[in-house]
Amino acid sequence: MPPCFLPASMASQVAQLPPPPSRPLPVINLARLRKDPATRALAIQDIARACREQGCFQVVNHGVNKSVMKGALEAASEFFELSPEYKELFASDDIRRPIRYDTSSRDGISKARSFLKHYANPLEDWEQYWPMHPPSYRKKMGEYTVEIQRVSMQLMDAILQGLGLRPLYMQEKLEKGVQFLALNNYPQFSHRGDEVGLAAHSDYGFLTVLLQSSPGLEVMPHGDDAWTAVPFIPGALHVHIGDHLEVLSNGQLKSLVHRAVLNPDEARISIASIHGLSVDEKVGCAEELVDEKNPEMYRESSFQDFLDFLPSNINNYKRFVESLKIDKA
């Protein structure tokens, strides 16, 4: 699924900004969520602060075995090394296909990347559409997606509690919701080309959990006017807020603008797992977060609405969440 991009004028401005980080990006020990109630409460506070102040954080001790993460990166890398003829079997202009391969030369959005995108939750519904080559792809990627879905549920519960919502808020809908995988293959930086692999954008869903093989992800934390490189921490997962969580929180949280730059030392693989409600399930502002002082700020929408939005957004580069804001004038 193509992400929602910034206006071209803004994208060109932010691309020229200097990169010094103004503040360190949070690193959350996720094991604290599984400790005693007091420790869990403090961990939820840390996650809530990271979401509110910067829109992203990294997690360690998340319970996903390093061999599972390594296997997913290997499976992705091996897929991109396959023949163009095989990869083209998954090429399509239809963004509603359950699996789709494309390159920057055709998608009109990426600067320099090839990608494979497909659904993953529930695994038994979608695995049949996944590539059969490399032979280990379905096994390795399946193990990874199940683990990341588990982590995303832990994170969503903590984030929603951090907003003051009850424990396990929307749990059943989230468990049955969309998990959408975007496997990205970025070439090594060349001085003859653009250094940006994927332009500035935000993701549509509630959460994105990202695994990267090497540095290249840059974020613009809330309140900053410069890009910050996300440090590469072996075994860590990067987490950031999506458009629909901004809507659900009634603007208390903001979706994160981020981009990918090409690594000067090596080609790079990233696996983004985007989590949201089911395709037709509408997301609106949580009733508990709306009152006279905090009126509803966004129209409700679904993943299907996002897909409908994409064709009309070609060459407009408007972020999806911007189209949902209610005009109070």
Side-chain angles (χ1 to χ4, degrees), residues 1-3 68-82 86-87 90 98-104 107 110 112-120 123 126 129-134 136-145 148 179-187 197-198 201 203 208-213 260 268-274:
M1 102 194 39
V68 172
M69 294 189 288
K70 180 182 178 183
L73 289 171
E74 288 174 347
S77 180
E78 289 169 5
F79 171 82
F80 289 117
E81 291 172 357
L82 294 173
Y86 181 75
K87 290 181 289 190
F90 303 98
I99 184 168
R100 190 164 65 95
Y101 168 80
D102 213 336
T103 67
S104 58
D107 79 344
S110 309
R113 71 162 178 168
S114 55
F115 63 79
L116 181 70
K117 300 181 177 183
H118 59 66
Y119 295 94
L123 183 62
W126 299 110
Y129 300 105
W130 293 6
M132 297 185 69
H133 299 284
S136 63
Y137 184 92
R138 292 185 177 184
K139 180 179 185 295
K140 289 181 177 179
M141 202 60 67
E143 290 175 348
Y144 177 75
T145 57
I148 296 303
Q179 180 185 15
F180 191 88
L181 241 59
L183 285 62
N184 303 296
N185 180 38
Y186 297 100
L198 184 60
H201 67 282
D203 295 336
T208 296
V209 182
L210 184 127
L211 173 66
Q212 53 180 345
S213 65
R268 173 174 171 265
I269 297 288
S270 73
I271 304 175
S273 183
I274 301 173

Side-chain angles (χ1 to χ4, degrees), residues 34-313:
R34 303 185 290 273
K35 301 290 186 180
D36 59 274
T39 302
R40 175 179 170 81
L42 290 173
I44 289 174
Q45 287 181 20
D46 289 344
I47 291 172
R49 186 181 303 110
C51 290
R52 187 171 57 251
E53 295 180 357
Q54 293 179 270
C56 66
F57 53 94
Q58 294 199 75
V59 292
V60 295
N61 294 326
H62 40 65
V64 182
N65 194 289
K66 288 185 178 181
S67 66
V68 172
M69 294 189 288
K70 180 182 178 183
L73 289 171
E74 288 174 347
S77 180
E78 289 169 5
F79 171 82
F80 289 117
E81 291 172 357
L82 294 173
S83 69
E85 292 78 15
Y86 181 75
K87 290 181 289 190
E88 284 295 319
L89 295 175
F90 303 98
S92 174
D93 294 327
D94 182 3
I95 59 176
R96 289 174 171 79
R97 283 193 64 182
I99 184 168
R100 190 164 65 95
Y101 168 80
D102 213 336
T103 67
S104 58
S105 64
R106 284 201 306 255
D107 79 344
I109 296 172
S110 309
K111 298 291 186 178
R113 71 162 178 168
S114 55
F115 63 79
L116 181 70
K117 300 181 177 183
H118 59 66
Y119 295 94
N121 183 59
L123 183 62
E124 59 269 20
D125 288 354
W126 299 110
E127 191 177 28
Q128 60 185 305
Y129 300 105
W130 293 6
M132 297 185 69
H133 299 284
S136 63
Y137 184 92
R138 292 185 177 184
K139 180 179 185 295
K140 289 181 177 179
M141 202 60 67
E143 290 175 348
Y144 177 75
T145 57
V146 168
E147 287 295 291
I148 296 303
Q149 174 68 8
R150 175 187 57 78
V151 171
S152 77
M153 292 298 299
Q154 292 181 356
L155 289 167
M156 279 300 300
D157 188 37
I159 291 169
L160 295 177
Q161 286 189 55
L163 285 169
L165 299 171
R166 66 181 184 273
L168 306 181
Y169 185 88
M170 294 176 60
Q171 182 188 36
E172 186 175 351
K173 289 183 178 180
L174 289 165
E175 286 178 340
K176 296 179 179 178
V178 165
Q179 180 185 15
F180 191 88
L181 241 59
L183 285 62
N184 303 296
N185 180 38
Y186 297 100
Q188 183 176 351
F189 171 69
S190 168
H191 291 286
R192 295 172 302 203
D194 198 320
E195 68 177 51
V196 177
L198 184 60
H201 67 282
S202 61
D203 295 336
Y204 98 92
F206 283 115
L207 280 185
T208 296
V209 182
L210 184 127
L211 173 66
Q212 53 180 345
S213 65
S214 59
L217 176 65
E218 292 188 346
V219 299
M220 190 168 289
H222 305 328
D224 286 3
D225 59 358
W227 289 109
T228 295
V230 174
F232 181 70
I233 302 174
L237 294 166
H238 171 82
V239 180
H240 61 245
I241 302 301
D243 290 349
H244 266 158
L245 191 48
E246 177 173 336
V247 171
L248 184 74
S249 73
N250 199 26
Q252 289 191 34
L253 307 180
K254 304 294 185 184
S255 58
L256 181 78
V257 174
H258 55 287
R259 70 177 185 177
V261 297
L262 303 185
N263 190 309
D265 301 317
E266 59 186 330
R268 173 174 171 265
I269 297 288
S270 73
I271 304 175
S273 183
I274 301 173
H275 301 263
L277 298 187
S278 60
V279 173
D280 295 315
E281 184 79 35
K282 295 285 188 179
V283 178
C285 304
E287 293 180 2
E288 297 87 342
L289 304 179
V290 176
D291 54 32
E292 289 186 6
K293 292 184 178 180
N294 302 284
E296 197 171 43
M297 295 175 58
Y298 304 86
R299 294 182 294 104
E300 65 176 14
S301 65
S302 66
F303 178 39
Q304 186 65 56
D305 294 326
F306 170 73
L307 295 177
D308 293 339
F309 165 84
L310 289 176
S312 66
N313 195 45

